[in-house]
Structure formats: C-alpha cells, structure tokens
C-alpha cells in the first residue's frame, strides 16, 4: 500500500490530453513539493516535473504539473505513442517517520 | 552530466547481507548540496525509497527498512554504498542509486541492478 494514491491506469488516443492524479495528506503533498517521474519499459525512472510544476531542461512543455491542497496532477497534452510508460509521483513525508514517498504508479496507454 | 552506476552481486543467499556500491561520475559527492539515494523496485511493482546519505555522512532511512539498512559514503572514491542485512526473497528487486536534490526531487538515476535473493 503506497502512501500516495494514483490510479492504476489511464488511457487516451494519440494527440489527446490526459491527466494523472496523486493524492496524499498534509504530512506529504500538503506541505512539500511534488515531483513526477516517467519510467519507460525496462529503463530507470526519469524526472519529468519537480517543485510541483517545474520542468527540467529537455522536458517538453507538453508535460505540466500542478498541486492543490493534498493532491497533485500531472498533465500530458498532444499524446504520442512514445509517452506510453509508468508515471510516479513522489514527495517528502514529514511525519514522525520522515521519508521520501512515492505513489503506486500509473500505467499510461496511448490507444 | 552526472552519471551513476550500480555494482555488486546479482545473487544473494537468504539471511545474508546484500551489498551494492554506486560510483558517481561527472560530479563530486563531496561538493555537497545533494543527497545520494538508494531506491528499489520489486518485479512489476512500484518504487520504494530505501534511504539516502549526505556527503557529511548524515543518513535518512525508510522506517520499514531502517533496522536492516546501512548507507555509507566514500568521498575519496566518489562512491556510496548500500548494505541490507538478513535478506529474504521479498528483497528481490531492481536496486537503483540516484541523486536527490532535496526531499524527493531525484534528478539523476543509475540504470539499476537486479538483485535476486535465492539459495
């Protein structure tokens, strides 16, 4: 059971837009920055979004992030078949058991 | 460009200690400003944070693994290491080393190494 909750799967057609949600609590998302990671099959995760809504150099602006309260959202526009991957949210949990926590991951299928 | 590379045995016997090393290139661990992390992924499952270390030696561990985990750093070799004791089949996973900017912003990852626990 992951500390952060994501939908197991989402799907959309090429060219369309999709959003992936990540729900947490005041001890994690509510009071800390959220990051998003893309994991293509057989590869290591890659940082897509950090500090809720910032993109590292080289990440296209088709990818966006937002946060409201204890939830965060990853948005992907202009879907491409190459976007098929697992997506994870992550943040710091500042409860007594302070640690980095991740969502369970969302499998994106581009139909 | 920072690069990280995991190394260590791919097969460990139950009850023994899993030991992995991460070699960092393209950046110095001792320059500070980053936390050097271990993360694992069970087959077909999500990401699990194991812990991280600062160049000074300060460590933070996942509470669920804390009793079995030791992360250490060797700044002279620009390496950091993971030891996980008393392993069982449940510790079979791909182990990643990574660099954390702060509190979960992990900007560089190693390619990962599969460690299987089996007799």
């Amino acid at each position: 059971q992951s500390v952060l909750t994501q939908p197991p799967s989402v799907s959309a057609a090429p060219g369309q837009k999709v959003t992936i949600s990540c729900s947490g609590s005041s001890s994690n998302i509510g009071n800390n920055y959220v990051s998003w990671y893309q994991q293509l099959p057989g590869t290591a995760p890659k940082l897509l979004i950090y500090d809720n809504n910032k993109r590292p150099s080289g990440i296209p602006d088709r990818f966006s992030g937002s946060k409201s309260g204890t939830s965060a959202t990853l948005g992907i526009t202009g879907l491409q078949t190459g976007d098929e991957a697992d997506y994870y949210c992550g943040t710091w949990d500042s409860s007594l058991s302070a640690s980095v926590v991740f969502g369970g991951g969302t499998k994106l299928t581009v139909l | 460009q920072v690069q990280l590379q995991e190394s260590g045995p791919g097969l460990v016997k139950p009850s023994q200690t899993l030991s992995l090393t991460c070699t960092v290139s393209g950046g110095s661990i001792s320059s500070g400003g980053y936390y050097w992390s271990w993360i694992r992924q069970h087959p077909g499952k999500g990401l699990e944070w194991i812990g991280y270390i600062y160049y000074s030696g300060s460590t933070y561990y996942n509470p669920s693994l804390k009793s079995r985990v030791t992360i250490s750093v060797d700044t002279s070799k620009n390496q950091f290491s993971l030891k996980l004791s008393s392993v069982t089949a449940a510790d079979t996973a791909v182990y990643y080393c990574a660099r954390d900017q702060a509190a979960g912003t992990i900007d560089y990852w190693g390619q990962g190494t599969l460690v299987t626990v089996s007799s």
Side-chain angles (χ1 to χ4, degrees):
Chain A
Q1 190 80 355
S2 301
V3 173
L4 306 180
T5 302
Q6 297 180 235
S9 63
V10 295
S11 62
Q16 297 300 304
K17 174 183 177 178
V18 71
T19 61
I20 297 172
S21 61
C22 176
S23 177
S25 68
S26 59
S27 67
N28 42 66
I29 292 179
N31 284 285
N32 294 288
Y33 288 118
V34 177
S35 298
W36 288 92
Y37 304 90
Q38 177 193 60
Q39 187 175 33
L40 297 169
T43 69
K46 179 174 76 172
L47 181 65
L48 274 185
I49 298 289
Y50 68 100
D51 289 359
N52 302 332
N53 56 16
K54 297 177 182 173
R55 284 176 287 106
S57 173
I59 301 299
D61 58 7
R62 299 189 298 108
F63 295 91
S64 63
S66 63
K67 188 182 96 167
S68 178
T70 59
S71 293
T73 301
L74 173 70
I76 311 173
T77 59
L79 277 172
Q80 302 173 1
T81 55
D83 296 331
E84 275 209 352
D86 293 322
Y87 292 84
Y88 294 91
C89 57
T91 187
W92 180 257
D93 190 299
S94 43
S95 63
L96 285 177
S97 54
S99 61
V100 174
V101 292
F102 295 103
T106 299
K107 170 65 177 176
L108 168 62
T109 301
V110 181
L111 301 168
Chain B
Q1 177 84 348
V2 174
Q3 293 184 315
L4 300 97
Q5 178 67 57
E6 305 89 353
S7 59
L11 180 65
V12 181
K13 288 183 167 48
S15 79
Q16 293 190 341
T17 296
L18 178 161
S19 296
L20 295 174
T21 296
C22 183
T23 301
V24 179
S25 58
S28 173
I29 289 177
S30 58
S31 62
Y34 302 101
Y35 295 83
W36 303 93
S37 309
W38 288 98
I39 295 150
R40 70 181 182 179
Q41 187 169 33
H42 295 102
K45 301 298 185 183
L47 302 171
E48 180 179 30
W49 183 75
I50 298 171
Y52 59 34
I53 189 166
Y54 197 58
Y55 80 99
S56 61
S58 299
T59 52
Y60 299 81
Y61 298 138
N62 184 325
S64 68
L65 298 170
K66 188 173 183 178
S67 63
R68 299 194 292 132
V69 172
T70 302
I71 297 176
S72 58
V73 65
D74 186 339
T75 54
S76 68
K77 295 181 179 179
N78 219 30
Q79 295 176 332
F80 62 105
S81 298
L82 168 70
K83 290 189 186 298
L84 180 65
S85 65
S86 305
V87 297
T88 69
D91 294 308
T92 293
V94 174
Y95 286 77
Y96 295 101
C97 62
R99 188 182 84 168
D100 190 323
Q101 292 184 7
T105 300
I106 303 164
D107 57 355
Y108 289 99
W109 298 70
Q111 65 183 26
T113 186
L114 174 63
V115 178
T116 301
V117 178
S118 174
S119 56

